[in-house]
Amino acid sequence: MSQQFQNLGLSEQLSVVLDKLGFSSPTEIQSKAIAPVLNGDDVLAGAQTGTGKTAAFGLPIIQKFVDSPIEREPNSTSARALVLVPTRELAQQVFDNLTQYAGGTDLKIVTAYGGTSMSVQTNNLKGGSDILVATPGRLLDHMHCRNVSLTDTETLVLDEADRMLDMGFMPDIQRILRRMNSERQTLFFSATFNKRIKNIAYKMMSEPTEIQVAAENSTAERVKQIVYPVDKKRKSELLAYLIGSRNWQQVLVFTKTKQGTDALVKELKLDGIKAASINGDKSQGARQKALDDFKDNKVRVLVATDVAARGIDIVQLEQVINYDMPYKAEDYVHRIGRTGRAGQEGLAVSLMSRDEEYLLEAIERLLDTRLPQEWLTGFEPSLIEEVVNDDRQPRKRGRNSDKKKMKAKLKIHANRGKNRR
């Protein structure tokens, strides 16, 4: 195994560390990205979550810094490499991984993200760092306090770059870029790309090497996907039935709203299923405890919003449930990318109410495929289910105008039911 990584340009010392960490062989993204990163090239890389992106950029950066060490001065605030990520959970995950990869070296790796002590981070940043992993907002806070200088930063990594742009971090990123050396190396890693994101990426980079190890917006090949149509009011009942009847022991569930995570946890607990939630309203400590309990199998179900779930990395996670269909089709790719990682098989289940059918259609257009649907006995959707708004309030309908509409809908859904049984 060590020889395979050495063939990519990594040292025997680093290869031995990877061997101890259980790396059997380089993944496709690692095989294609490590050499150009080592060469100092800008890289625009598209790869699904769970394919080893962190190692793809982290290993060559560590190798370069080990080969060309610098002596940090006590009053320095410089960071040789900056890794920008969208969420606290992802920042901690990337920090943990890079710290493991750099085991046995003298490299200083620090992290800075919101929800934790600013003063502790300030102390960690004193004397500069080799690699700084940070979220944009907290990084700007430290820059404003002169705790961090990016004028000498050699390498910038934007990890989960598409998510940062979707979350509105572009103004913050531009402010950060203005404080950096234009001669830096820029690495742009993302699970999905569209024309807008690529245009932004190319403005940040110089003649980048473009790497795509999976079809754009594709989903993991080893993930089985299925959609269960169900009345909205029976979703929690169906979820509890699936978890109990199929003896699922570790399930990640996605909802659309922060309030929805806590409400669903209460419903599951009433059914005797241990569950916890993570969302943006919870403190970092509470979020980390919920995640740790889930990883340690102390809770059976973790309910999360899309933003809070970024950074969840559980290799053996077998089931991901879309309790609410995502508003953005791209989020579906990110969600189900939590399972089927590192060559493992996974299952992605979507519970779809009638007012979410248009969201499924958007996902199918993005993936250019039809997702299989199945009606579960005892949970068949009602043909006269009242369509509701996102705030759960029924839409008011004109009495006369609705008669013809309802007859047409009944006919359409009856035909669909025959085709799906």
Side-chain angles (χ1 to χ4, degrees):
M1 186 283 295
S2 298
Q3 189 61 47
Q4 294 185 53
F5 280 99
Q6 290 179 54
N7 292 340
L8 297 175
L10 301 181
S11 67
E12 181 179 358
Q13 176 189 2
L14 195 51
S15 296
V16 170
V17 171
L18 297 177
D19 204 1
K20 292 179 179 178
L21 292 175
F23 280 60
S24 57
S25 60
T27 64
E28 186 178 359
I29 185 62
Q30 292 161 8
S31 297
K32 293 183 178 181
I34 287 176
V37 174
L38 277 172
N39 193 48
D41 299 342
D42 285 0
V43 172
L44 174 61
Q48 290 176 273
T49 302
T51 56
K53 287 185 293 180
T54 303
F57 65 75
L59 294 175
I61 290 174
I62 291 170
Q63 184 66 68
K64 288 196 298 181
F65 290 176
V66 169
D67 292 341
S68 303
I70 62 172
E71 186 174 346
R72 294 187 300 273
E73 298 181 2
N75 61 348
S76 172
T77 59
S78 295
R80 292 189 72 183
L82 170 64
V83 182
L84 279 180
V85 297
T87 67
R88 294 174 268 180
E89 283 75 19
L90 186 57
Q92 187 63 47
Q93 176 194 313
V94 171
F95 169 78
D96 291 342
N97 288 342
L98 295 180
T99 300
Q100 287 183 318
Y101 304 154
T105 73
D106 294 327
L107 297 184
K108 181 181 178 182
I109 303 173
V110 298
T111 185
Y113 52 83
T116 55
S117 171
M118 185 84 170
S119 61
V120 171
Q121 293 174 3
T122 299
N123 288 331
N124 292 337
L125 292 166
K126 288 180 179 178
S129 58
D130 289 295
I131 303 176
L132 170 60
V133 183
T135 52
R138 179 51 64 94
L139 176 61
L140 286 171
D141 291 340
H142 282 294
M143 292 171 66
H144 178 73
C145 297
R146 301 185 184 278
N147 296 328
V148 176
S149 171
L150 302 178
T151 55
D152 296 324
T153 299
E154 302 168 27
T155 302
L156 167 66
V157 182
L158 285 89
D159 191 18
E160 302 284 10
D162 55 339
R163 174 57 55 189
M164 280 194 283
L165 299 181
D166 287 344
M167 292 171 63
F169 283 128
M170 192 60 205
D172 288 347
I173 293 173
Q174 289 174 331
R175 290 173 62 191
I176 293 168
L177 291 176
R178 286 196 290 268
R179 306 287 288 275
M180 299 185 72
N181 186 343
S182 61
E183 299 301 316
R184 69 183 182 276
Q185 178 187 34
T186 302
L187 311 177
F188 200 99
F189 279 74
S190 179
T192 61
F193 282 120
N194 56 38
K195 290 183 179 179
R196 170 178 166 270
I197 292 175
K198 282 189 175 182
N199 288 337
I200 292 173
Y202 271 83
K203 291 178 181 178
M204 299 180 184
M205 298 183 289
S206 174
E207 300 181 357
T209 298
E210 188 167 337
I211 301 170
Q212 185 76 51
V213 301
E216 291 186 10
N217 298 319
S218 66
T219 53
E221 293 181 0
R222 300 178 70 85
V223 177
K224 178 183 177 181
Q225 302 170 68
I226 189 165
V227 178
Y228 291 125
V230 62
D231 291 348
K232 184 181 293 290
K233 63 184 180 181
R234 299 195 68 193
K235 277 191 176 185
S236 62
E237 182 185 353
L238 175 54
L239 176 61
Y241 168 78
L242 290 171
I243 294 171
S245 64
R246 301 183 183 183
N247 197 30
W248 292 342
Q249 294 301 316
Q250 198 174 44
V251 187
L252 176 60
V253 179
F254 286 97
T255 65
K256 288 187 290 193
T257 67
K258 301 172 186 176
Q259 296 81 4
T261 62
D262 294 330
L264 183 55
V265 165
K266 291 179 181 178
E267 291 285 342
L268 291 172
K269 288 182 176 179
L270 290 175
D271 290 315
I273 298 173
K274 290 185 178 180
S277 65
I278 56 174
N279 59 57
D281 286 342
K282 294 183 179 294
S283 68
Q284 182 59 27
R287 290 163 69 163
Q288 191 61 49
K289 184 181 186 305
L291 181 56
D292 290 342
D293 286 348
F294 183 60
K295 289 183 176 182
D296 295 338
N297 292 309
K298 293 180 180 177
V299 296
R300 199 168 174 181
V301 180
L302 183 65
V303 186
T305 55
D306 290 298
V307 173
R310 302 301 280 194
I312 293 177
D313 185 16
I314 304 171
V315 176
Q316 299 295 332
L317 184 62
E318 297 180 356
Q319 293 92 21
V320 167
I321 311 295
N322 294 303
Y323 184 82
D324 294 319
M325 301 296 287
Y327 282 123
K328 297 189 64 176
E330 291 84 357
D331 286 342
Y332 178 83
V333 178
H334 290 297
R335 286 181 176 189
I336 75 169
R338 302 294 104 189
T339 187
R341 298 167 76 89
Q344 302 289 325
E345 293 186 353
L347 173 65
V349 173
S350 299
L351 309 184
M352 183 189 67
S353 56
R354 181 136 327 122
D355 61 336
E356 295 176 313
E357 288 180 348
Y358 75 101
L359 298 173
L360 175 63
E361 292 171 0
I363 293 168
E364 292 177 335
R365 285 196 300 270
L366 179 73
L367 301 180
D368 193 25
T369 188
R370 292 294 298 273
L371 298 183
Q373 296 188 35
E374 180 181 333
W375 286 11
L376 282 179
T377 302
F379 292 94
E380 299 90 347
S382 170
L383 295 180
I384 57 173
E385 179 192 9
E386 185 79 2
V387 180
V388 296
N389 294 319
D390 290 331
D391 60 1
R392 304 294 199 264
Q393 295 300 315
R395 293 176 183 169
K396 294 182 179 180
R397 291 174 168 161
R399 188 173 183 181
N400 295 329
S401 62
D402 268 1
K403 290 183 178 180
K404 292 182 179 179
K405 291 181 181 179
M406 184 57 69
K407 288 181 179 180
K409 286 184 178 181
L410 287 171
K411 184 176 181 180
I412 292 171
H413 289 292
N415 290 334
R416 286 181 179 173
K418 292 177 181 179
N419 295 332
R420 292 173 183 166
R421 286 182 182 271

